[in-house]
Amino acid sequence: MNRYQDAAPGARGATAVVDPAAEREEAGRLWLYGPGRQTPERVPVPTRVPSGDAGPLEAVLFDRDGTLVTDVPYNGDPSLVEPMPGALEAVAALRARGLMVGVVSNQSGVARGLLTGAQVGSVRQEVDARFGPFDVWAVCPHGPGDRCGCRKPAPGLVLAACAHLGVCPARTAVVGDIGADVGAARAAGARGVLVPTPMTRAEEVVAAREYARDLPGAVRLLLGGPGPGEGAA
């Protein structure tokens, strides 16, 4: 899948399911899930970056597709959820250190009519079943033309997740596989770590301030120091 453009209508996991207008979410709101919540809370997109001093890391937010789980275009099928190599171990290592973990995910398939909110929720539940419940999920259901403040690289998802967790963005890290993920971290005042995949653009790798070869490497970088081929640019 090309993460930067529309997927082909017949791509695996992408099936037209609903009139986009039926579940159109206003651009000023995003979807937030806490542990055990079956339906999302529709919350205003934060517009202010809270001040706060950098300090010990308190929370790590992950992109979903291509980072935590394999990237299936517009996936609404829980049976297609497959953790990325090392992802289960990486999340477990953070929890073992007492850190909160969450997910921040663009899901434009809702705006495009390729996903329902229920399908987004069912995939979220499967991810939680595989990894253990995440402390927060923040989801952008808008499309590129909606001019929302939550679609990464805008900071809204990161800010909303941090507010829900009660942590300062300056004590939060975001881990993702494309430039929009680390761009959202930077815009929110959080730390961003890029974990490239074959779909990551070369210029995004060059521009990354911090990078790792895989998710366990990203966790090593966040918790204590890089391994070979990892670190800060």
Side-chain angles (χ1 to χ4, degrees), residues 139-195:
V139 174
C140 171
H142 308 111
D146 287 336
R147 298 183 179 180
C148 66
C150 52
R151 180 176 169 82
K152 295 177 289 185
L157 294 181
V158 178
L159 295 176
C162 288
H164 179 83
L165 296 175
V167 299
C168 173
R171 298 189 178 196
T172 302
V174 179
V175 179
D177 65 313
I178 62 174
D181 300 317
V182 294
R186 189 176 303 121
R191 185 176 174 183
V193 179
L194 184 73
V195 180

Side-chain angles (χ1 to χ4, degrees), residues 3-212:
R3 296 284 303 279
Y4 308 90
Q5 299 175 352
D6 291 351
R12 186 168 78 105
T15 303
V17 292
V18 67
D19 179 350
E23 294 207 348
R24 173 70 66 180
E25 185 66 65
E26 62 179 284
R29 292 187 178 273
L30 57 83
W31 295 354
L32 199 72
Y33 301 83
R37 189 178 179 95
Q38 301 301 309
T39 59
E41 180 183 3
R42 289 165 162 82
V43 303
V45 178
T47 57
R48 280 187 57 204
V49 177
S51 59
D53 296 331
L57 187 66
E58 296 180 345
V60 179
L61 306 174
F62 293 92
D63 170 57
R64 193 191 82 177
D65 302 314
T67 301
L68 281 178
V69 299
T70 55
D71 187 9
V72 176
Y74 305 127
N75 185 27
D77 184 351
S79 72
L80 299 180
V81 169
E82 185 64 35
M84 290 287 282
L88 295 172
E89 296 83 354
V91 172
L94 293 170
R95 287 180 171 139
R97 292 285 290 267
L99 298 177
M100 291 178 283
V101 289
V103 181
V104 286
S105 181
N106 290 349
Q107 291 298 319
S108 69
V110 177
R112 302 177 198 272
L114 298 171
L115 290 172
T116 64
Q119 287 176 311
V120 173
S122 67
V123 171
R124 177 192 67 85
Q125 290 172 351
E126 180 63 21
V127 175
D128 276 356
R130 296 289 194 97
F131 286 85
F134 284 88
D135 297 298
V136 65
W137 282 71
V139 174
C140 171
H142 308 111
D146 287 336
R147 298 183 179 180
C148 66
C150 52
R151 180 176 169 82
K152 295 177 289 185
L157 294 181
V158 178
L159 295 176
C162 288
H164 179 83
L165 296 175
V167 299
C168 173
R171 298 189 178 196
T172 302
V174 179
V175 179
D177 65 313
I178 62 174
D181 300 317
V182 294
R186 189 176 303 121
R191 185 176 174 183
V193 179
L194 184 73
V195 180
T197 71
M199 297 308 301
T200 310
R201 290 174 170 170
E203 60 267 28
E204 294 174 334
V205 178
V206 171
R209 296 179 181 176
E210 295 187 276
Y211 55 88

